[in-house]
Each structure stands twice: as C-alpha cells, then as structure tokens.
Amino acid sequence: MALKGNNDIQLTYTPAYKNRYEVSFIDTTTGADVSSECVRFGATDVSFGDESLTFVRNPATTRFTLKEGAYKRSDTLTITWRESDMYKIKALHKEWVSRFYNTSTDKYISARNAAEAKSRYKIIQVVVPSTAGDGKATRFRFTCLPSNIGNLSLAWGSSAGLTTYAINYYVEEWEMEEVRDEFF
C-alpha cells in the first residue's frame, strides 16, 4: 500500500548515528586544541542530560504556566574513556585536578587572578559529522571542570579486555552549532 501525503520527509530525513563523533579538549585561555590521538578517539560514550521546563495547569484558567524553578539545567557531562597503554587519559585528568588541589601538601590551591581561574576550565568539544556528505557537522562545546580522574581497575581474565572508566564533568555552560566539517 502506498503512503498518501507528502513523502518529502522520507526522502530528506537523515538519521543521527551514535558512533560518529570525535572528542577534543580546548584550552580556555589560548583556544588551542590540547588533545592527543588517544583523546580524539578514546571516548566510547558521551552522555549529557537534557534541560527541561516544568509547567503546571492553572485550575481556574486551565492554561499552563511555568512553575517556580521551572527550568532545570543539565550540569553533568559524563564521558566513558578507553585508556591508552601509558594511561594518558588518566594523566591528563590528574594534571587538570592538580590545578585545584596539591596532593603532596594536602592543600587546596587558590587562583591568584581571573586568568588563572579561567585556566582551570577546559572546553570539551564533541564534533558529530553529517552523514549526508555535505561537509557539515554539529559541534557541541562544554566549558567544564573535572570531578574525578578515573579509577584504576585491573583484573586477570580468560581474555584481554580494554581498560575503560567514566569521568564526570561539571558543565558551566554549553553550546551547539553547525560548523563546516573540518575533522572528518
């Protein structure tokens, strides 16, 4: 049976695939990409919650109105990393956390000025290329702070398994934009 109506949606729809992306770290002070190859292709899962609005129905007018505190921000980005053989992902995060806390002296480190405070943030950039082959991509940029450096979990087994762990990031702000596909 043929579909009736406008088939243009079926002809122009291009799905978004979960496994086409590249992750990189951008320095907030210089704007330079500070990623290595193990960072670019080592992220096996990227998860960022949704932002939402909560409405309530007014019983007198039956119209929906915004509830107090209705807007809920998503403030946590979670990336599952596949570690490199020299633990470069862990080392990157250990250095990042060392900007806040000195483990050898057991003391927190205060920023001396606004530039130093800004340098503690990193931009995690996720580029998702279009599958249409038109040279376009969607770029997500998350300005964030780390919450952990990743656990160390090793075990003997009947087969060799990859070392992976999830790292959570606190997102200060984020943006999404269409860009020219410069990576794929």
Side-chain angles (χ1 to χ4, degrees):
M1 178 172 150
L3 293 174
K4 293 182 181 181
N6 186 352
N7 290 337
D8 190 42
I9 292 174
Q10 296 169 347
L11 299 175
T12 61
Y13 171 74
T14 305
Y17 293 98
K18 290 182 167 191
N19 61 347
R20 290 180 46 90
Y21 60 91
E22 180 179 294
V23 177
S24 58
F25 284 95
I26 308 296
D27 186 292
T28 55
T29 55
T30 65
D33 186 337
V34 293
S35 302
S36 63
E37 288 301 307
C38 65
V39 169
R40 286 200 184 288
F41 305 108
T44 62
D45 187 28
V46 177
S47 177
F48 183 61
D50 65 344
E51 298 185 356
S52 63
L53 287 172
T54 304
F55 293 92
V56 293
R57 190 182 288 275
N58 183 312
T61 65
T62 67
R63 300 242 181 231
F64 284 99
T65 59
L66 288 170
K67 185 177 165 182
E68 187 172 331
Y71 184 71
K72 178 191 158 282
R73 290 185 189 280
S74 181
D75 56 5
T76 306
L77 170 69
T78 302
I79 299 179
T80 301
W81 293 100
R82 182 176 44 222
E83 187 55 271
S84 71
D85 66 343
M86 294 305 295
Y87 289 85
K88 292 178 182 175
I89 302 291
K90 187 177 221 35
L92 182 143
H93 288 85
K94 186 175 185 320
E95 185 278 325
W96 192 0
V97 169
S98 74
R99 297 178 188 193
F100 302 91
Y101 188 75
N102 185 330
T103 56
S104 61
T105 61
D106 198 25
K107 293 182 181 173
Y108 293 99
I109 301 169
S110 296
R112 292 178 287 239
N113 53 47
E116 189 175 327
K118 184 179 179 181
S119 74
R120 293 178 174 190
Y121 287 86
K122 288 189 188 294
I123 296 171
I124 296 178
Q125 177 174 274
V126 181
V127 177
V128 184
S130 170
T131 56
D134 56 5
K136 295 180 182 176
T138 301
R139 178 174 65 191
F140 296 89
R141 285 187 159 196
F142 303 93
T143 304
C144 47
L145 299 168
S147 72
N148 59 316
I149 65 170
N151 63 330
L152 178 64
S153 178
L154 306 171
W156 290 99
S158 58
S159 64
L162 297 176
T163 299
T164 61
Y165 44 78
I167 296 182
N168 297 316
Y169 304 90
Y170 297 114
V171 177
E172 185 78 21
E173 61 186 21
W174 72 280
E175 64 183 29
M176 176 179 121
E177 64 182 335
E178 185 179 297
V179 296
R180 293 300 300 167
D181 186 357
E182 56 198 70
F183 299 107
F184 292 88

